[in-house]
Amino acid sequence: MDSEEAKEQVDKAALHILASSVGQILGEHSKIHQFVKLAAERPTTINIDRARRTFDALPVYQRKRVAETAEGVAIKQKNSMTMSSILNRLGGTKSAAAAIAAKAPAPAVEPKKKTVKEVVWK
């Protein structure tokens, strides 16, 4: 994949994250959500420009809420991708990693120490 295709994939993923965040904050039926979703699905210059103009018209507090939500989604998605790449490098899948974890001996649990009150009252 060349750098232009990679950039388009990242842009599409970012627009999908933004669309879902706008949908969470402003509702799935809002015009802004529809425009951003359309730009994510069909990223033409017109669609992206329309999405940008409608999003920029939002009040600052709503843009900040959408940005915070989108950032949280992006971080979760990045962490999930990182975990799957780690598991792939280990030569297994998530189920294989779970099987390895199940075979590992459980850590020894120390008995809970009693407090003075527990000892005195018994």
Side-chain angles (χ1 to χ4, degrees), residues 26 31-36 47-59 63:
L26 303 175
K31 287 287 185 189
I32 297 169
H33 171 71
Q34 297 299 322
F35 288 150
V36 175
N47 290 342
I48 292 173
D49 187 49
R50 184 186 307 149
R52 180 180 294 122
R53 281 186 287 123
T54 55
F55 184 79
D56 289 346
L58 284 174
R63 284 185 296 194

Side-chain angles (χ1 to χ4, degrees), residues 8-10 17 19 28 36 40-41 53 63 71 76 92 101 106 108:
E8 285 180 18
Q9 290 299 324
V10 169
I17 290 171
E28 297 282 325
V36 175
E41 292 171 355
R53 281 186 287 123
R63 284 185 296 194
E71 185 178 1
K76 285 180 185 175

Side-chain angles (χ1 to χ4, degrees), residues 63-79:
R63 284 185 296 194
K64 284 185 179 181
R65 286 182 57 205
V66 169
E68 290 167 356
T69 304
E71 185 178 1
V73 170
I75 289 170
K76 285 180 185 175
Q77 195 173 58
K78 179 184 175 201
N79 289 342

